[in-house]
Amino acid sequence: VAGGTLYVGAFDLEARDPATGERRWTFETDVDRGSLPAPTVASGTVYVPGSLGDPTLYAVGTGGEERWRVETDADVDAPVAVADETVYVVDEESTVYALDTAGEERWRRTLGADVSRSAPAVANDRIYLGSWDGGVLALRTDDGTTDWRRDDGATEFRVGGPVAVTGE
């Protein structure tokens, strides 16, 4: 919920009234094969990855109009993060993209760890990601280089969801 609107990643992106559930508008993505990952709202823009077979990040205004779209190398299964006028996206090939809020690529980096299921968390000039191999890593926000990676057996479980961090 942002700005008095509930945004839902169904087969298409829907905007609904949070009090009544009434649909306000629908933004149709290019492919209707499974539900969309959760949308992320920042500064009047809704960012939502496409569904299965649609390796696209859509930027949609809060009135339902498309602002831009960027194709990724593979599908995106997790929500994106937005911080400091940068949109961070992770695709199924564990490529991390940093885009400016106009959709222009700042950098991209393919990682050796399977972070494809992890929504990025951004704080302290770092992007934090969990990996399917049980590790956690931090990338620098300015260029995507790995600041640190820990997969030293501290957890024996796969980290398939988002991690959380505070900027404090």
Side-chain angles (χ1 to χ4, degrees), residues 9-20:
F11 284 106
D12 292 309
L13 176 63
E14 297 178 355
R16 294 183 173 266
D17 183 302
T20 66

Side-chain angles (χ1 to χ4, degrees), residues 45-160:
T45 302
V46 184
Y47 301 95
V48 65
S51 62
L52 298 172
D54 184 10
T56 307
L57 174 65
Y58 298 91
V60 180
T62 55
E65 71 286 352
E66 182 176 323
R67 295 202 168 146
W68 52 262
R69 64 174 68 191
V70 169
E71 287 191 29
T72 55
D73 292 338
D75 288 346
V76 176
D77 295 331
V80 305
V82 181
D84 299 322
E85 302 297 314
T86 304
V87 182
Y88 299 98
V89 184
V90 181
D91 73 15
E92 283 185 347
E93 293 180 356
S94 296
T95 299
V96 181
Y97 303 79
L99 310 169
D100 68 19
T101 53
E104 296 298 318
E105 186 176 305
R106 291 187 171 161
W107 54 261
R108 79 168 66 186
R109 180 148 180 262
T110 301
L111 303 175
D114 183 356
V115 296
S116 63
R117 295 165 187 86
S118 183
V122 182
N124 309 316
D125 298 322
R126 291 177 183 85
I127 307 155
Y128 299 93
L129 297 161
S131 70
W132 198 240
D133 60 11
V136 178
L137 59 133
L139 308 178
R140 294 173 46 103
T141 56
D142 60 349
D143 62 6
T145 57
T146 301
D147 193 35
W148 55 259
R149 178 177 176 178
R150 301 289 181 263
D151 53 0
D152 53 9
T155 180
E156 40 188 271
F157 300 103
R158 295 177 174 173
V159 181

Side-chain angles (χ1 to χ4, degrees), residues 24-48:
R24 294 181 176 163
W25 53 259
T26 300
F27 174 80
E28 294 185 11
T29 58
D30 287 345
V31 178
D32 288 331
R33 237 186 276 153
S35 63
L36 303 172
T40 301
V41 183
S43 301
T45 302
V46 184
Y47 301 95
V48 65

